[in-house]
Amino acid sequence: MTVIKTKAQWPAWQPLNVRSAPSAEFSVDRARHLMSFLTMLGPSPDWNVGLSGEDLCTRDCGWVQRLVKDLVPWDAGTDSGVTYESPNKPSNPQERIRPLTSLDHPQSPFYDPSGGPMAPLAQVVVERIARKGEQCNTVPDTIDDIVADIAQEEKEEGDNTPETCIYSNWSPWSACSSSTCDKGRRMRQRMLKAQLDPIMPCLHTQDFEPCMGPGCSEEEASTCMMSEWISWSPCSASCGMGMRSRERYVKQFPEDGSSCTLPTEETEKCVVNEDCSPSSCVVTEWGDWEPCSVSCGVGMRRRERMMKMEASDGSPCRAQLAEAEKCMMPECNAVVCMVSPWSDWGECSVSCGVGMRSRQRMLKTPVEPSLCPDELEQVEKCMFPECPTDCMLSEWSAWSECNKSCGKGHMIRSRMVKLEPQFGGLACPETVQRKKCKIRKCTKGSRPSDKRKRQEAPERRRGKQSREPVTEESSACPVRPWSSWTECTKPCGGGSQERVMNVKKKGKSSQPNHCKNKREIRACNVHPC
């Protein structure tokens, strides 16, 4: 099992910023691809939210790219309390875990006399970061990834934006439009937040630059691709000064295998409830700003915080629980781009292995596409099971010599397996072949003693069965026994070995010696490597 661990938030009912989302990283594989977790709601009897057996595999043997699930509360069945702060009342016998409903009890915080559906209490987002062993597998940027954080207004160095135009920061660069070493383009964009001078145009909300696929340039090979920072954690102090932290993760490691040196965590000081006297109440940190009240021009936005604990001496809470400020949106006569929802993802460009797929959306307003910063097409990688690989063989070797010096024999040739078949590819054909050979006819001996022996042979066979047949060649040429087979020339993939039969050497003789040594060759270790 892979344990999903987040930073400790215990006791759960201590003052916390409930809007801060904890995060964690975990791994899955073919044998462990079901995700389950529970998160306690505190203080509560035994209420929780979570997922059970969520499959992160896809039907086409890939992995889920992004999963977003709304979470409704469940009752673990161990306590019979009906409110968040009910006294402990263990259930005996213990009940089965079940989802809470809006009609459980009139005192329940979820009670709704109309019996409507339960509203989600939380949301979990699971995003695939990377694939192990595949460093070049960059998670494609979605439109959510490249929208800038509009809460930050610092300008980048070298930005010559007019002072009358207020933009968000540039978004991260999108994935390159080329996944190979051919030239492509990548894009980043920013949002126009306010135009203070109607006469001065505010342009340049999109930026493009040439690029190539991962690993095609030395500069890119040594870079880390990082995610955006995750929300700040709750302040460590419930009153006064404390510390908080936030994290990010590595979306793509360097192609050269080196480690990333960019920080994945940072901390900063935070102040909650500056007045820590007994007459002050305890409040949460400020929540996020609400959207601006107008879509163009000047409007208002507000944010809130909650009182978590009254003053210990009973004094009324003097802390401000809401605040508002002006917000400026683009001029009302600015170009408005309305786009349709994204279409379904198209077919993958390949039927096996790694390919690309795309989806599109259309402009719903009669505006020149070049004037709209919205992306109209997205491209991402798609994966199928590996493509079948057929067996690959080397060329045939030359034919060996005939294994007989006279009469009928055979020759062999072999070839090696260079690549075994994989993923259902074609099996390897034969790796050894034989063919017949005949150098010359075996001649009879001309010596009288040999002729006399051949005449006596039938008589000996009538009287006593001979242990071995006597051939013409063996009667004509005195030979030694066969030698042992030599070691095989190859450990696998088809080799050969041989043995020899040498002619016995005689003393000095005036007659020419037509006898030759014999050699036999046979195939060995023909199994694939």
Side-chain angles (χ1 to χ4, degrees), residues 42-318:
S44 70
D46 53 356
W47 299 338
N48 55 75
V49 293
L51 289 178
S52 177
E54 189 68 34
D55 198 347
L56 300 181
C57 272
T58 59
R59 291 184 177 180
D60 55 0
C61 298
W63 296 104
V64 170
Q65 180 68 54
R66 182 179 172 90
L67 174 72
V68 180
K69 287 282 187 178
D70 290 330
L71 305 179
V72 294
W74 287 68
D75 189 329
T78 61
D79 194 285
S80 301
V82 295
T83 69
Y84 278 110
E85 297 180 341
S86 294
N88 291 337
K89 187 179 179 182
S91 300
N92 192 11
Q94 182 173 324
E95 302 172 358
R96 293 178 62 87
I97 186 171
R98 64 175 182 85
L100 291 172
T101 69
S102 58
L103 295 174
D104 281 338
H105 195 279
Q107 296 181 359
S108 169
F110 310 112
Y111 181 72
D112 180 3
S114 63
M118 294 288 290
L121 283 188
Q123 187 180 77
V124 61
V125 179
V126 182
E127 184 177 12
R128 194 180 81 196
I129 300 174
R131 287 166 61 100
K132 290 183 178 180
E134 189 175 330
Q135 299 284 4
C136 62
N137 181 45
T138 305
V139 179
D141 288 323
T142 64
I143 194 67
D144 294 328
D145 292 329
I146 63 177
V147 171
D149 180 6
I150 62 174
Q152 299 177 353
E153 298 183 1
E154 296 84 358
K155 292 186 178 181
E156 296 182 355
E157 294 182 6
D159 191 354
N160 56 359
T161 302
E163 292 293 331
T164 56
C165 299
I166 300 177
Y167 293 94
S168 67
N169 281 347
W170 284 109
S171 69
W173 287 105
S174 67
C176 189
S177 61
S178 171
S179 60
T180 65
C181 289
D182 295 329
K183 287 186 178 181
R185 289 204 311 169
R186 63 178 184 173
M187 180 196 74
R188 63 177 182 173
Q189 63 184 18
R190 59 184 178 180
M191 297 176 62
L192 177 62
K193 297 172 61 179
Q195 184 176 359
L196 305 181
D197 186 356
I199 301 176
M200 180 69 69
C202 293
L203 305 175
H204 197 46
T205 57
Q206 285 185 325
D207 191 16
F208 297 87
E209 73 171 15
C211 61
M212 291 187 292
C216 295
S217 65
E218 295 181 359
E219 295 179 1
E220 190 179 25
S222 60
T223 58
C224 291
M225 182 176 290
M226 308 296 293
S227 71
E228 294 299 309
W229 287 104
I230 298 172
S231 303
W232 287 102
S233 68
C235 194
S236 61
S238 59
C239 184
M241 182 174 292
M243 298 295 293
R244 64 178 184 173
S245 63
R246 63 177 182 175
E247 299 173 333
R248 61 180 177 178
Y249 55 84
V250 180
K251 293 180 70 175
Q252 180 181 348
F253 287 89
E255 295 289 338
D256 57 8
S258 60
S259 59
C260 287
T261 58
L262 298 175
T264 57
E265 183 175 5
E266 65 179 13
T267 58
E268 70 174 14
K269 294 180 180 179
C270 54
V271 178
V272 183
N273 304 293
E274 296 180 1
D275 185 4
C276 298
S277 64
S279 61
S280 65
C281 56
V282 178
V283 295
T284 64
E285 294 181 61
W286 286 107
D288 296 330
W289 287 104
E290 294 178 355
C292 194
S293 60
V294 296
S295 59
C296 63
V298 181
M300 298 294 292
R301 64 176 184 174
R302 66 193 305 271
R303 65 177 180 175
E304 298 177 348
R305 59 182 176 180
M306 298 182 294
M307 183 180 68
K308 295 189 294 187
M309 193 179 301
E310 296 180 352
S312 57
D313 63 358
S315 301
C317 186
R318 296 188 298 271

Side-chain angles (χ1 to χ4, degrees), residues 424-487:
L426 295 178
C428 295
E430 61 179 347
T431 56
V432 178
Q433 286 184 344
R434 298 168 179 256
K435 72 176 181 179
K436 296 179 180 179
C437 57
K438 184 175 181 181
I439 299 178
R440 59 182 177 81
K441 289 185 178 180
C442 294
T443 58
K444 298 180 180 180
S446 58
R447 291 178 299 174
S449 58
D450 294 337
K451 184 177 181 181
R452 188 165 53 251
K453 289 179 182 179
R454 288 196 299 273
Q455 292 174 348
E456 294 174 355
E459 297 177 0
R460 289 201 305 272
R461 284 197 293 273
R462 284 195 296 269
K464 182 179 180 181
Q465 183 66 34
S466 173
R467 290 185 179 181
E468 294 183 0
V470 180
T471 63
E472 292 180 350
E473 186 174 356
S474 63
S475 63
C477 300
V479 293
R480 299 183 186 278
W482 284 105
S483 67
S484 301
W485 289 103
T486 62
E487 291 188 7

